[in-house]
Amino acid sequence: MKKQLGTGLGILALAIALTACGGSPGASSTSSSATSPGPTASSPAASSTPAGAAELKTATSSVGERVVAANGKSVYIFTKDVKDSGKSACTGGCANNWPAVTTTSTRPAVDGVSGSIGTIPTADGKMQITINGMPLYFFSKDEDSSDTYGQGVGGVWFLVSPSGSMVTPSSSTPSSTSTPSGSSMGY
């Protein structure tokens, strides 16, 4: 009798769990929009994606609120890029010092980023993430998630705010007054 009661209660618990998750056939769920495709390249990005799954998210630092990649590293825009051109102006040596922020998704997930997210093809066949039509880059001298050494380099490289605008030197204080020593910055 105890075995039958235990089995019956187990089946009942499983049925309740499946119903709560929308797992039973014909059940409607109000969370179906969570499985719908993400934002398009021309629409504002959703910010309801869990931070662990986001390819871009926000972080606060000495320069204020900025966009970072999933690994926590700062991302930058290059003012020599042409908005919505579909290509990067950073090639050759520039691309060595300023690698593209790439993705395998045509709709990169974001958390806290309100700018329009999209992708463009790179010269090597990958997809580079864009915000408001501008390609995004890492700076090779940034080693930690708190580094912002690329901010203002050459007057053409700038951090990105969550809305997709560049963080200008007058609205921020870089984490260092100079970049780490090394080779040319490649711009």
Side-chain angles (χ1 to χ4, degrees), residues 6-180:
T7 303
L9 288 175
I11 292 172
L12 179 62
L14 180 59
I16 291 171
L18 287 175
T19 303
C21 294
S24 62
S28 64
S29 172
T30 57
S31 64
S32 64
S33 64
T35 60
S36 65
T40 63
S42 60
S43 69
S47 61
S48 61
T49 304
E55 293 186 67
L56 295 178
K57 55 188 177 179
T58 60
T60 303
S61 70
S62 61
V63 297
E65 194 79 8
R66 70 191 196 289
V67 175
V68 298
N71 63 6
K73 289 191 177 182
S74 299
V75 299
Y76 300 87
I77 57 173
F78 183 38
T79 60
K80 292 184 180 184
D81 280 327
V82 176
K83 182 180 177 171
D84 295 322
S85 70
K87 64 181 184 174
S88 168
C90 181
T91 59
C94 176
N96 291 332
N97 286 316
W98 299 91
V101 178
T102 60
T103 182
T104 57
S105 172
T106 56
R107 296 180 179 176
V110 300
D111 182 36
V113 178
S114 60
S116 295
I117 303 299
T119 60
I120 60 170
T122 63
D124 60 358
K126 296 180 181 174
M127 288 187 290
Q128 183 172 9
I129 299 176
T130 63
I131 189 164
N132 295 346
M134 295 293 284
L136 295 178
Y137 305 88
F138 292 112
F139 182 44
S140 62
K141 304 294 181 190
D142 286 350
E143 294 179 9
D144 297 322
S145 60
S146 62
D147 289 347
T148 58
Y149 293 121
Q151 175 64 355
V153 169
V156 294
W157 292 99
F158 296 96
L159 293 164
V160 183
S161 75
S163 68
S165 61
M166 73 178 169
V167 176
T168 60
S170 62
S171 66
S172 69
T173 306
S175 63
S176 174
T177 55
S178 63
T179 59

